[in-house]
Amino acid sequence: MNRVSTYYPAIMMLVLLASCSPRKGKGIPDRIETSYYQLQNIFQPDSVEVSTNSAFSEEAKELDSFLVDLDLVRKKDSLLTKECNWYCLKSLIEYNTAVDCSIYVDLPSTASWRMNTTIKKQLLTRKEDFLEHLREIDVLNNPFRREGIESDFRAQLTSAFEDSNYVSFCFMISSYSAGSAHGMHEYETFNFEKASGKRISFNDLFEVKTSEDSVLMCDLITESIGIGKLDHISVYEYDFNLNEDYVVFNFDAYEVGPYGLGAPRAPLNRRAMLARFGKGNKEF
């Protein structure tokens, strides 16, 4: 038997495996946002390839136009908080001996008395609600409370922004009841019309008109958070803050996932949000 005959079976097996291996079709994107694009009926049952000029590619480009890097947002937020010259930042620092709770509250002061009053009233209400909670659970007699461990409440400014139309502040509310397994982390945001000082909400700036818009909004948020599909997110009065380039949606601990997820933020491109979801003639 010659050498070719010896290796012929092995050669034929390699050829067979190569012919059966999956191949990527031309023009098929690397990432597929299944729920949104299936809703758009982009996939055809008998189609093998998708053209690079198809609606799929256009929708993929639209999706990508919304997504931004959260690290860039955090860096910009940090700079804005430290370097702003259009407000003064004062801090309330006190200790409540009745429930052994340390308290720290940032209180920005702008040129608008109405904005200042709204922020101060809400943050101090959050503080008083937490102190009342500590009294209700009789925190000092909590059997799991260790000696020397105190309760804590903090409202810290994380983002501040002003332009010709709007003023926006974002606070991280952190609270801990002595003896608990862990603390809680929540956001409190304040968005105002600059001229009137009126506080505005999600529905004042954004409009989700169709089921396609609703699915897209939820997909954008879950993609931005970066942990996969969260089917239980629904469109409602999302907590958000503005800065120069982004609309940042903020979610409290447990709001969209387990405690280990923390309090996630989902930044989206401000210009893309205005083009797709802007309400009426609103500019933001």
Side-chain angles (χ1 to χ4, degrees):
M1 183 180 293
N2 60 33
R3 183 172 298 178
V4 174
S5 300
T6 302
Y7 293 106
Y8 182 78
I11 293 172
M12 291 304 296
M13 180 61 72
L14 290 174
V15 172
L16 179 61
L17 289 173
S19 66
C20 295
S21 62
R23 297 182 181 181
K24 186 177 179 181
K26 295 180 180 178
I28 297 179
D30 293 331
R31 185 179 64 187
I32 297 175
E33 299 297 329
T34 306
S35 57
Y36 180 58
Y37 297 117
Q38 283 181 338
L39 188 63
Q40 297 294 322
N41 295 319
I42 289 171
F43 290 109
Q44 300 298 325
D46 299 328
S47 176
V48 176
E49 295 187 348
V50 179
S51 168
T52 54
N53 295 322
S54 67
F56 185 96
S57 296
E58 292 303 316
E59 296 292 353
K61 289 179 182 178
E62 181 190 22
L63 183 72
D64 286 338
S65 72
F66 284 90
L67 302 177
V68 296
D69 188 343
L70 182 56
D71 288 336
L72 293 177
V73 177
R74 287 174 177 151
K75 183 177 181 180
K76 180 165 288 190
D77 278 349
S78 177
L79 291 174
L80 286 169
T81 303
K82 293 178 180 178
E83 299 178 5
C84 280
N85 57 12
W86 51 271
Y87 70 92
C88 297
L89 185 61
K90 300 178 181 179
S91 298
L92 169 68
I93 303 174
E94 60 184 29
Y95 189 85
N96 188 296
T97 56
V99 289
D100 281 352
C101 180
S102 61
I103 297 164
Y104 179 96
V105 180
D106 281 337
L107 295 171
S109 178
T110 71
S112 169
W113 177 87
R114 185 177 184 181
M115 293 183 199
N116 300 340
T117 302
T118 300
I119 294 172
K120 182 177 181 179
K121 181 179 179 180
Q122 180 63 19
L123 293 182
L124 294 186
T125 296
R126 294 287 299 263
K127 179 201 76 167
E128 291 301 325
D129 287 346
F130 181 68
L131 294 177
E132 179 61 26
H133 166 71
L134 295 180
R135 288 189 286 268
E136 288 178 353
I137 65 173
D138 193 13
V139 67
L140 296 183
N141 293 315
N142 185 337
F144 297 102
R145 178 173 176 263
R146 297 173 61 184
E147 188 67 28
I149 302 298
E150 61 189 30
S151 299
D152 185 82
F153 177 88
R154 292 178 177 271
Q156 294 179 284
L157 181 64
T158 62
S159 177
F161 172 73
E162 177 196 52
D163 65 11
S164 58
N165 296 314
Y166 300 103
V167 172
S168 182
F169 291 99
C170 179
F171 293 81
M172 168 62 80
I173 308 293
S174 302
S175 58
Y176 175 70
S177 302
S180 300
H182 55 70
M184 276 296 295
H185 305 285
E186 304 166 286
Y187 292 101
E188 187 75 53
T189 56
F190 299 87
N191 301 294
F192 301 98
E193 287 183 343
K194 186 174 181 179
S196 66
K198 175 187 174 183
R199 192 174 183 181
I200 56 176
S201 64
F202 177 88
N203 287 334
D204 291 317
L205 293 183
F206 306 106
E207 191 169 29
V208 181
K209 299 178 181 179
T210 65
S211 58
E212 289 91 343
D213 284 347
S214 178
V215 172
L216 175 59
M217 175 70 82
C218 294
D219 282 353
L220 287 168
I221 289 173
T222 55
E223 179 73 14
S224 182
I225 293 173
I227 61 167
K229 182 65 178 175
L230 297 177
D231 292 324
H232 59 282
I233 285 185
S234 60
V235 175
Y236 57 95
E237 280 271 344
Y238 288 131
D239 184 281
F240 72 97
N241 65 281
L242 303 172
N243 69 31
E244 183 177 359
D245 301 309
Y246 314 118
V247 178
V248 186
F249 293 96
N250 307 295
F251 298 93
D252 302 338
Y254 291 117
E255 189 172 356
V256 293
Y259 183 79
L261 180 61
R265 306 181 75 192
L268 299 176
N269 183 280
R270 181 171 168 171
R271 183 174 298 178
M273 286 292 296
L274 174 61
R276 183 61 184 261
F277 300 107
K279 188 171 186 178
N281 296 320
K282 290 282 187 181
E283 295 288 338
F284 66 91

